[in-house]
Amino acid sequence: PSLLQLIDSRLYPDRLLPLSEHVTVGSLVVIFESFDSLAFAYVRTGEIFSNKNGHFHHDDFVGMPYGSRIYSRGPAGGGRTRGFGK
């Protein structure tokens, strides 16, 4: 394929921006862990994303606007991470 064919966004329909301004189940979110560390996750019901800042329940992501600050639950508490999805 030519270079123009490779950069044609119509060939990659799964790479479109989300239809909603809020995170939904199945959304791909980018998680900002620190100034030099990003993580990616698909939001799934009942799942938990864990890092050095704590445990972040995917159920807490659902309904939040993209770019929201999310706080961890549990004994570690107080941890926070910021998710970006767009």
Side-chain angles (χ1 to χ4, degrees):
S2 73
L3 180 58
L4 288 178
Q5 289 174 323
L6 290 175
I7 60 173
D8 185 354
S9 63
R10 292 173 296 172
L11 299 174
Y12 307 99
D14 58 328
R15 305 262 188 219
L16 297 176
L17 292 175
L19 297 176
S20 171
E21 294 291 319
H22 295 82
V23 176
T24 59
V25 173
S27 295
L28 174 62
V29 294
V30 179
I31 301 168
F32 177 81
E33 296 179 298
S34 68
F35 73 93
D36 64 348
S37 178
L38 299 175
F40 303 87
Y42 283 98
V43 177
R44 306 219 191 285
T45 303
E47 294 286 321
I48 299 172
F49 175 83
S50 297
N51 64 15
K52 66 181 181 180
N53 298 313
H55 305 290
F56 300 87
H57 294 245
H58 288 212
D59 296 332
D60 295 343
F61 298 174
V62 175
M64 298 295 289
Y66 285 105
S68 295
R69 191 166 294 220
I70 308 295
Y71 291 89
S72 67
R73 284 200 235 165
R80 62 184 182 198
T81 193
R82 190 162 184 177
F84 300 91
K86 285 193 165 182

